Amino acid sequence: MSIIKKEWLFFIFLLLFFILFFKQKPTITQINSYIDWKTIRSLSALLLIATAFKQSNFFDVFAAKTVTHFKTEKTLAFAFVLLSTFLSMFLTNDITLFVIVPLTLAFSTQIKNDLTKLVIFEAIAVNVGSELTPFGNPQNIFLFRQMDISVIDFIEKMSIVFIPKFILLIIFVLIFFPRKNLQIKTSNPEKKDKFLFISSVVLFIIFIFSLEYSLIRYALLIIVSYYLFTNYKNVFFKFDYFLIFTFIIMFIDFAMLSRLDSVKNFMNSIQMNFYNVFNISIILSQIISNVPAAIFMSNFSNNYIAIAYGTDIAGNGLLIGSLANVIALRFLKSSKAYVDFHKYSVPFFILSYLIILVIFYKII
């Protein structure tokens, strides 16, 4: 029962899988086609490297040496939220979290303050920052490839939603993070493994280039081989296998949901004007996550910018709105964090949506 309690999200999606499976009866080949293996390979490679970073204790040592520069929770929050927002514009929201969240948790070993809220805000921040560029998140990458516009044109169009959301994010940080002093612990971190850290940085650079040139399967092979055939096999014992299993079952469930006849009939009955495409993209993202929603909506409308607006805004809302949210909260390993996440993410989403609706009313 303990594993069900710990991995409750996986088992919920597993139950949904069986319900949909007996309704649709897909073949093994179809199920395999539902899984975005490129994303699974990318996540596996990132998770291995992130695990190695943690095992190296480098972040813990870095946190111990720099924590005194941050006097209050508010200053620490501003630094990490702004860094998360900026990095996600170029590294994508998922990759940014694999760097920022372990660093944040390293800081939590040096202070008595609870940093759960900060990790939640980092998840919100990467979804906001990644909206601006065509390479900030998977749905933008997909939709940009469908558009016949330049990178600058895309950024200009997305700034309409990015700027108000970024301002709102700053306001949320000001409101929800107190000027409470950081309570420094006296404990010293374990000795860092400099070689493991540097070699993992090299592997991370290889990973980034492999994404650019679609060579991720070869990068994964190199990364797995390195940790497997060196003295760092313990990385595999600390690896979060259930995170990968959860993503696999989510992809299958989302694909089967989007293939329900009732869903297709409903979509075909709707007039696909800007506002309908925008709103349906938001609703779908809250049910099947924003990347599958973007792909699904592109089958019914070529108003790709409206799809981008909707799926990007929906990243902040329910947990399932963005897979980045799932990644961030998995690092926390706390059931309470899932409840706390919605205390901040849902109000942020509602306010963002209302503000952007007003902006659309003025300019569209």
Side-chain angles (χ1 to χ4, degrees):
M1 289 300 292
S2 60
I3 193 170
I4 295 177
K5 184 178 179 180
K6 181 182 177 182
E7 306 296 344
W8 60 272
L9 188 62
F10 169 78
F11 285 103
I12 287 174
F13 282 113
L14 184 63
L15 177 61
L16 179 60
F17 166 77
F18 285 118
I19 294 171
L20 293 170
F21 177 83
F22 289 112
K23 181 177 179 62
Q24 297 184 15
K25 296 181 175 61
T27 64
I28 297 298
T29 303
Q30 286 175 317
I31 292 175
N32 183 66
S33 69
Y34 296 160
I35 303 169
D36 186 344
W37 287 111
K38 182 179 178 181
T39 298
I40 296 300
R41 293 186 193 103
S42 298
L43 282 173
S44 300
L46 271 173
L47 194 53
L48 276 171
I49 295 171
T51 305
F53 281 152
K54 184 177 180 181
Q55 293 294 104
S56 74
N57 293 317
F58 187 89
F59 284 161
D60 293 325
V61 174
F62 176 81
K65 290 182 177 180
T66 60
V67 68
T68 54
H69 294 288
F70 303 97
K71 302 299 182 183
T72 66
E73 287 187 13
K74 193 182 292 289
T75 55
L76 184 66
F78 263 116
F80 275 80
V81 166
L82 290 175
L83 183 61
S84 299
T85 303
F86 177 76
L87 288 180
S88 65
M89 297 177 187
F90 307 100
L91 292 181
T92 77
N93 52 359
D94 299 338
I95 295 176
T96 299
L97 287 175
F98 276 102
V99 176
I100 293 294
V101 177
L103 181 58
T104 305
L105 296 180
F107 271 79
S108 72
T109 65
Q110 302 302 312
I111 60 177
K112 297 178 182 178
N113 308 64
D114 184 10
L115 296 185
T116 298
K117 189 198 304 180
L118 179 53
V119 173
I120 290 169
F121 269 76
E122 286 166 355
I124 295 173
V126 298
N127 285 322
V128 172
S130 66
E131 295 177 2
L132 187 62
T133 64
F135 29 79
N137 55 51
Q139 68 268 21
N140 279 10
I141 293 171
F142 169 75
L143 293 168
F144 178 69
R145 288 172 180 167
Q146 317 302 316
M147 304 179 193
D148 187 22
I149 60 174
S150 67
V151 171
I152 298 299
D153 287 339
F154 184 91
I155 292 174
E156 183 180 345
K157 290 180 181 295
M158 295 309 296
S159 64
I160 296 172
V161 295
F162 166 75
I163 292 173
K165 287 188 68 177
F166 179 68
I167 294 171
L168 184 63
L169 176 62
I170 298 301
I171 293 171
F172 264 54
V173 172
L174 285 170
I175 293 172
F176 291 110
F177 285 90
R179 292 189 179 277
K180 181 180 178 181
N181 289 334
L182 297 181
Q183 301 176 47
I184 311 296
K185 294 180 181 178
T186 56
S187 60
N188 293 319
E190 296 180 20
K191 186 178 178 181
K192 64 183 177 183
D193 188 331
K194 190 174 181 180
F195 185 79
L196 175 58
F197 179 77
I198 292 174
S199 59
S200 296
V201 169
V202 173
L203 291 174
F204 182 71
I205 294 170
I206 292 172
F207 168 78
I208 296 297
F209 276 100
S210 74
L211 282 182
E212 179 67 24
Y213 297 103
S214 300
L215 299 171
I216 187 61
R217 65 178 64 195
Y218 302 108
L220 180 59
L221 180 62
I222 292 170
I223 293 166
V224 169
S225 299
Y226 175 75
Y227 294 127
L228 189 61
F229 298 111
T230 60
N231 292 325
Y232 300 120
K233 296 182 183 67
N234 60 331
V235 168
F236 292 97
F237 294 104
K238 300 293 184 179
F239 186 81
D240 189 352
Y241 293 97
F242 263 99
L243 177 60
I244 303 301
F245 297 154
T246 301
F247 272 89
I248 290 173
I249 201 72
M250 283 169 64
F251 279 126
I252 297 171
D253 286 353
F254 295 158
M256 288 197 288
L257 279 171
S258 65
R259 283 163 175 77
L260 290 173
D261 289 336
S262 56
V263 174
K264 291 181 180 179
N265 293 335
F266 174 75
M267 294 298 296
N268 288 322
S269 68
I270 297 174
Q271 182 182 356
M272 290 297 169
N273 57 43
F274 176 88
Y275 285 103
N276 283 345
V277 171
F278 170 69
N279 285 311
I280 294 171
S281 297
I282 289 176
I283 294 169
L284 274 178
S285 296
Q286 299 300 304
I287 300 172
I288 65 172
S289 190
N290 52 10
V291 178
I295 296 170
F296 178 76
M297 286 299 297
S298 67
N299 293 319
F300 297 93
S301 172
N302 59 4
N303 195 334
Y304 301 117
I305 198 65
I307 299 173
Y309 287 154
T311 54
D312 280 351
I313 289 170
N316 297 120
L318 298 180
L319 171 73
I320 208 66
S322 171
L323 299 182
N325 300 333
V326 179
I327 292 171
L329 296 195
R330 282 291 299 188
F331 276 106
L332 292 173
K333 298 178 181 178
S334 167
S335 299
K336 184 177 180 295
Y338 290 87
V339 177
D340 291 341
F341 173 83
H342 292 97
K343 282 166 52 179
Y344 303 106
S345 185
V346 171
F348 184 86
F349 161 71
I350 293 171
L351 288 173
S352 299
Y353 175 73
L354 294 175
I355 292 168
I356 288 164
L357 269 187
V358 173
I359 293 172
F360 285 167
Y361 178 76
K362 296 290 184 181
I363 67 174
I364 295 178

